Amino acid sequence: MRNARTPTVYLKDYQPPAFLIDKTDLRFELFEDCALVRADLLIRFNDTENVPDQSCLVLNGQYLQLERLLVNEQELSAADYILDGDCLTIPDLAGLLGNRRDDFSLTCHTRIEPQNNTALEGLYKSRKMFCTQCEAEGFRRITYYLDRPDVMSVFTTTIVADFNKYPVLLSNGNQIDSGAESDGRRHWVTWHDPFPKPCYLFALVAGDLACVEDRFVTMNARDVVLRIFVEEKDLDKCDHAMRSLKQAMRWDEEVYGREYDLDIFMIVAVDDFNMGAMENKGLNIFNTSCVLANPKTTVDAAFQRVEGVVAHEYFHNWSGNRVTCRDWFQLSLKEGFTVFRDSEFSADMGSRTVKRVEDVALLRTAQFAEDAGPMAHPIRPDSYMEISNFYTLTVYEKGAEVVRMISHILGPDNFRKGTDLYFAHHDGQAVTTEDFVVAMEEASGVDLTRFRNWYTQAGTPVLDVRGNYDAAVQTYRLTIRQHCPVTPGQKHKLPFHIPLRLGLLGRDGNEMALHCNSANAKSDTVTDMVLQVTEPEQEYVFEDVKGEPIPSLLRGFSAPVRLNFDYTPEDLYFLMVHDTDGFNRWNASQQLAVGLMLELQTAYQNESDLKLPEILKQAYEGILQSALEDPGQDGAMLSQVLTLPAESYLIEIADVAEVEAIHAVREFLARSLAMSLEGMWQDLYRSTANSGEFSVAAEAVARRSLKNTALAYLSRLETEQSVELSAQQFHQADNMTDESAALNCLVNSVAAVEKGVTAAALEKFYKKWQHEPLVVDLWLSSQARSQLPGTLEQVKKLMQHPAFNIRNPNKVRSVIGAFSAGSLVNFHEASGSGYRFLADQILVLDKLNPQIAARLLAPLTRWKKFGIPRGALMRGELERMRAEPALSKDVFEVVEKSLA
C-alpha cells in the first residue's frame, strides 16, 4: 500500500539523535559511469536525555550500492546489518562494540550513478559537471549517514577525477591539499571545513569551469578570496553577482554585525538545478538564472533577482549555517529570517517602497492562496509526508513577514539586540523557532506569548475595521475585530498579535497628529502609530481630531492580513493622491481598481455591457499627468500604480472565480485606458524612451519600467501604429529588458500576429539568442504566457522544439509552469484541456523529478475555487493522478491533501 511507504512525520514525535558524528572524512572517485564514495565517520553516543535505543545504529540511505562496511576497521558481513529501501541498520551494535560506549569509527563504501540521477538530489551530473544538492534529504543518496539537521559534523573532503575533464574540484571550507594520481591522468584536491555542519550543507562540484575572482576585506581586516565559477562563455555575466556579493557582505557587517568566517567564498552556476540556489557552507551552488546577468541577455527583474538571491544565500552563512535548524519543522527559522534579511538588503539597495510592493503582491496573490488551500500549514508545520513539499511561500514569505512583525513590535534597536543575542547564544547549534522568539523576548523585555500563534496556526487573519468620528468631542474611534478562517486540521483559532501601523489624513490632504491613550498603541512619529492588536475585538480612541479623517491603515503592510474597511471610491482616490506612505498609495490604487472591476464582473454578459468608470480614468489621468510634470518621481513606483491588478490576484480574492469575466473585464479596462488616454501614454513613452547608456541603477531601472508600462498600454490599441511601435523597440533595443518587453507586446497582439510581425520577431529572437539558455527561457515563457486563443497548442509545439528539455527544471518552468500560472484564461479553458495537459506532464515528470512535479501541481489544488464545471474537471485530474500505482510521495501528498 502507498500509505505504508509514505508515513507521516510529526513534530510531536521528535527525539534527539541517538548518535552524533564528530568527524566526517569523504573521498569521491568520479568516473563517467559511476562515483565511488568512501565515508569515514567518527561516531559517539549522544548523552542527551530521552534519546532512542542506542543498542542499534540506523543510517539513512537511498539509491546506493553498498560495497563495504566496517566498524572500528572490522569489516562486517551481510549478516551484521539489514538493508531496506531507505535505511541501513546495524541491529547488534552493542555486541560489535563489546557493550562499550566509547567513540567508534564507521567506514562505508558506496557506489552511485550520478549520470542517471534525474531527480537532481544528492550527487548528479549537470551536462558535463558533477554537482550536489543535499537539502533537504539529498545526502542520503551519496552515502549512508545520519541525515538530519541536528547532527553536525566537521567535514574533510577529497575529490579525485580526470584532470582534463574536471580540472576544477570544489567542496566546503578551505582547500588544504592537492596533487596528481600516479597514472598522471587523474588529480585530487582536499577541502576542510572547520565549522561543524549538518550534511544538508555539504557540497561538491567537479567540472571544466572558468572563474572570476575578487577580494573582500572584512570589518576585522580579514582578507577573503571571492570566486564565481561558470562556463567560460559566461565570464562576461558575473560582474553583477560579484558586486552584489560584496555589497551583501558589507551590509551584513553594518546592519547585523556578522562577519564572514572562512578564507574563501565560492559560487558555482549550474544549469540543471531544482531550486534558485543553495547556501552550502563556503560553496554556494546557484541555478544559472540566479547568478548570470548581462544587459544584452538579462532583464531588469532578473538583475534584481540575482542581487537578492546572492544576498540571501550569503546571509545564510549566519542565519542557517552557523545557527541551523534542529529539525525540518523549523525550516522557517532559517528561511523566513533570511528572506526578511535579503528583502531589507534589496530595499536599501533600491526603492524601498517598490520592493515592499513587489513582496506584498507575491504574498497576497500566491501565499494567501496557499493559506486558503488544501496545503495550508503554519510557518512551523506539524507534520509532513515529504519535506520537499514544505519549501513553500508560507515558510519563506510569510515566515519573513513574521520576523518583520517582530521588528515592528520591538523596534529597530531592540530587534538588533535580539538578533545579536540569538547568534551569540546559539552559534554552532541546531535550534528551534522558539529559541529565536525567546532571544527576542530576553533582549527586549517584550512578552511575545500571543505572538507565538503565528508559528502554530495556519491561514490568513482577517481584520474588520470600522471608524466612527464624533464631531462634538473631536474623537475618532477605530473598532478592530480579528478572525482567521478554518484551515485543514485547525477549526478554531486563537487571536494573533498583529502590529497595525496607521496614520490619519485630514480632508485637506495633510497628516494629522495622533493622540491615542491606549497602552496598545505606540507612536513611531507624531503622525504614524503602531496599534498592537491582540484580542478578538479592540477599540482605539484618537483624541483632538479636528475634522473627520480618512484612515491610512496597515501602512507598509505591517502584518500579513486581509483588511476590510468601508472605503468609498472617492476615499481611495484621495489616498492615492495624498497618502505619505508609498505602499498605501499603491494599495489604494489596487483597491480602487479591484472594487470597480468586481462591479463590472457582476454585470458582465458580453463586452457591450462594460463601460470605463470615470473615477478610474481620472485616477490614471492624474497619475500620468504627475509623471509627465515631475520626471523626478520614482518611476518604478508609478509603474506599479499604473498597472491594473493581476488576474491571479482577482481570482484569489473571488469567492468563485469566473475566469472569463475576470479576463474580459481586465482586458476591457486596459484597452479602454489605452484608448482614452492615448496621447498621455505616447507622451510618457517618448519622455522615457531615451534611456542613455545601460545601467542597473534604480533610476535607470525605473525609467525602463515606466516606458514599458506605457508600451504595454499602447500595444493594446491594436493599430498599425501600435504594432510598429512595439516592432521598432524590439528591433532597436540595446538591452534585454526593452527587447523582451516589446516581444511580449507582439506575442499578445492580435494585429501583430495577423500581420506576421509576431512570427518574424520570434524567429529573429531565437536565431539571435539560441546559444544563450536563459534567453531561450524568456523566448519560451513569452509564448507560453500568451493571452491569445490557441496558446495550449503552441505550448505543445514548444515541447517538441529542440530548445525544450523536460529534464531541465528551468525549461519545465518556462513552458509548463509559465502556461499554467501565466496564461490563466487558456489554462482554465472551459473544456478542461489545460487541466488534462498539466496532469499529463506531472505524471511524466514524476518519474524523472518528483520535486518539480509536485511544485507544478499548485494550480490544480485550488479546484474548489472554480465551482462547476471547472472544479469538477480539476478534481477529476487529481483523482486520475491519485490512481497511478507508482506515484512518488512528493506528488501523492499534494494530491491526497487536495482531495481531502
Side-chain angles (χ1 to χ4, degrees), residues 138-401:
F139 193 80
R140 61 189 61 186
R141 290 172 173 256
I142 293 173
T143 187
Y144 289 100
Y145 203 81
L146 295 174
D147 188 358
R148 47 188 291 170
D150 55 355
V151 174
M152 303 175 72
S153 182
V154 173
F155 279 69
T156 303
T157 304
T158 298
I159 311 165
V160 187
D162 186 302
F163 178 81
N164 290 323
K165 292 181 178 179
Y166 309 103
V168 175
L169 306 176
L170 308 174
S171 191
N172 309 84
N174 301 314
Q175 181 177 327
I176 60 172
D177 204 357
S178 63
E181 296 281 89
S182 57
D183 63 5
R185 291 189 305 106
R186 295 171 65 79
H187 70 131
W188 57 271
V189 177
T190 299
W191 295 82
H192 176 70
D193 184 357
F195 295 95
K197 65 174 179 286
C199 63
Y200 84 83
L201 291 171
F202 171 77
L204 176 153
V205 171
D208 187 0
L209 298 169
C211 165
V212 171
E213 182 173 312
D214 206 333
R215 308 187 87 82
F216 180 82
V217 179
T218 71
M219 60 186 183
N220 288 315
R222 292 186 57 254
D223 190 34
V224 179
V225 176
L226 310 177
R227 290 180 182 151
I228 299 178
F229 291 89
V230 297
E231 293 184 23
E232 189 164 359
K233 69 179 181 63
D234 293 322
L235 281 173
D236 63 339
K237 304 181 185 72
C238 298
D239 289 349
H240 182 65
M242 184 66 80
R243 184 166 53 250
S244 299
L245 173 59
K246 295 174 74 172
Q247 288 171 334
M249 296 177 80
R250 185 64 65 205
W251 186 90
D252 209 19
E253 291 183 344
E254 294 172 351
V255 177
Y256 283 89
R258 301 296 104 196
E259 183 180 23
Y260 188 62
D261 46 20
L262 290 170
D263 298 334
I264 187 170
F265 184 88
M266 299 174 287
I267 290 173
V268 180
V270 176
D271 196 42
D272 301 285
F273 203 69
N274 283 341
M275 303 185 189
M278 179 60 209
E279 72 266 19
N280 318 294
K281 181 72 178 183
L283 177 58
N284 288 187
I285 299 179
F286 276 56
N287 189 309
T288 49
S289 66
C290 294
V291 68
L292 303 180
N294 180 289
K296 294 286 187 183
T297 58
T298 309
V299 298
D300 287 337
F303 270 99
Q304 292 167 339
R305 186 181 185 216
V306 167
E307 178 185 77
V309 175
V310 167
H312 180 95
E313 305 308 332
Y314 173 76
F315 295 154
H316 265 314
N317 188 59
W318 277 93
S319 51
N321 296 2
R322 289 283 288 262
V323 183
T324 196
C325 302
R326 186 196 71 178
D327 54 74
W328 290 120
F329 297 100
Q330 318 298 328
L331 181 59
S332 195
L333 175 79
K334 73 182 185 78
E335 295 300 348
F337 185 22
T338 306
V339 169
F340 171 71
R341 275 153 52 73
D342 84 56
S343 178
E344 286 295 289
F345 166 76
S346 294
D348 283 346
M349 296 299 108
S351 168
R352 178 164 289 274
T353 299
V354 172
K355 176 60 178 169
R356 193 71 188 124
V357 165
E358 292 170 346
D359 289 348
V360 173
L362 173 64
L363 193 81
R364 294 203 303 202
T365 300
Q367 194 281 317
F368 279 16
E370 195 168 87
D371 259 352
M375 291 294 288
H377 57 277
I379 65 169
R380 187 183 65 201
D382 297 320
S383 64
Y384 62 81
M385 291 183 193
E386 169 53 57
I387 184 55
S388 295
N389 287 333
F390 283 89
Y391 282 74
T392 61
L393 289 167
T394 297
V395 166
Y396 279 67
E397 305 300 328
K398 186 175 181 179
E401 294 301 311

Side-chain angles (χ1 to χ4, degrees), residues 560-670:
V561 300
R562 299 182 190 272
L563 187 140
N564 297 320
F565 185 86
D566 192 19
Y567 287 115
T568 66
E570 291 72 22
D571 290 339
L572 294 170
Y573 181 62
F574 181 90
L575 291 171
M576 285 176 63
V577 175
H578 297 292
D579 203 332
T580 57
D581 183 82
F583 172 83
N584 269 13
R585 286 186 64 197
W586 168 82
N587 192 50
S589 74
Q590 296 290 290
Q591 286 184 271
L592 175 63
V594 165
L596 297 171
M597 293 166 90
L598 291 177
E599 290 180 8
L600 291 173
Q601 288 168 35
T602 302
Y604 175 76
Q605 294 295 325
N606 55 64
E607 193 167 300
S608 63
D609 300 327
L610 302 178
K611 182 179 179 181
L612 175 63
E614 185 62 27
I615 194 169
L616 188 64
K617 177 187 173 183
Q618 290 175 1
Y620 272 63
E621 189 172 20
I623 298 164
L624 284 167
Q625 189 64 43
S626 173
L628 292 168
E629 291 177 353
D630 183 7
Q633 295 184 72
D634 185 344
M637 185 63 216
L638 291 173
S639 178
Q640 294 282 354
V641 174
L642 288 167
T643 301
L644 288 168
E647 286 183 24
S648 55
Y649 179 61
L650 296 168
I651 287 173
E652 167 52 26
I653 62 176
D655 292 329
V656 177
E658 300 292 345
V659 181
E660 289 99 339
I662 288 171
H663 178 72
V665 167
R666 189 180 189 279
E667 288 298 300
F668 169 79
L669 289 180

Side-chain angles (χ1 to χ4, degrees), residues 666-820:
R666 189 180 189 279
E667 288 298 300
F668 169 79
L669 289 180
R671 189 165 60 254
S672 298
L673 288 168
M675 293 173 64
S676 62
L677 302 173
E678 179 181 358
M680 299 185 80
W681 290 118
Q682 290 175 341
D683 290 344
L684 182 63
Y685 183 81
R686 284 192 292 266
S687 69
T688 53
N690 184 15
S691 57
E693 186 177 350
F694 182 88
S695 167
V696 293
E699 298 80 6
V701 172
R703 187 166 53 250
R704 285 190 292 274
S705 177
L706 204 52
K707 174 180 68 176
N708 288 314
T709 297
L711 180 67
Y713 275 101
L714 290 169
S715 71
R716 293 176 183 275
L717 298 173
E718 297 286 6
T719 62
E720 185 174 340
Q721 292 79 10
S722 68
V723 172
E724 176 59 30
L725 186 64
S726 295
Q728 181 179 353
Q729 177 167 311
F730 173 78
H731 291 295
Q732 295 179 0
D734 63 355
N735 63 83
M736 185 52 65
T737 300
D738 288 346
E739 188 173 351
S740 64
L743 182 65
N744 287 336
C745 289
L746 295 172
V747 165
N748 285 284
S749 167
V750 174
V753 171
E754 291 176 348
K755 293 175 183 295
V757 177
T758 301
L762 287 168
E763 182 180 8
K764 177 181 178 180
F765 190 92
Y766 181 73
K767 285 183 176 179
K768 180 180 178 182
W769 298 113
Q770 60 184 307
H771 300 300
E772 294 285 352
L774 297 180
V775 183
V776 172
D777 291 346
L778 287 176
W779 181 79
L780 292 168
S781 65
S782 179
Q783 297 171 79
R785 291 178 182 275
S786 171
Q787 304 300 304
L788 301 186
T791 295
L792 178 56
E793 293 309 310
Q794 180 62 25
V795 164
K796 291 177 180 178
K797 291 179 182 177
L798 289 175
M799 292 184 65
Q800 304 304 315
H801 194 279
F804 182 78
N805 179 359
I806 200 165
R807 292 175 180 243
N808 180 276
N810 287 351
K811 297 295 182 283
V812 170
R813 287 185 280 257
S814 296
V815 177
I816 303 169
F819 170 72
S820 59

Side-chain angles (χ1 to χ4, degrees), residues 440-461:
M440 295 295 153
E441 288 179 318
E442 289 181 357
S444 67
V446 176
D447 183 359
L448 295 173
T449 299
R450 178 150 292 178
F451 189 84
R452 286 169 169 81
N453 291 337
W454 285 102
Y455 288 92
T456 58
Q457 295 183 160
T460 304

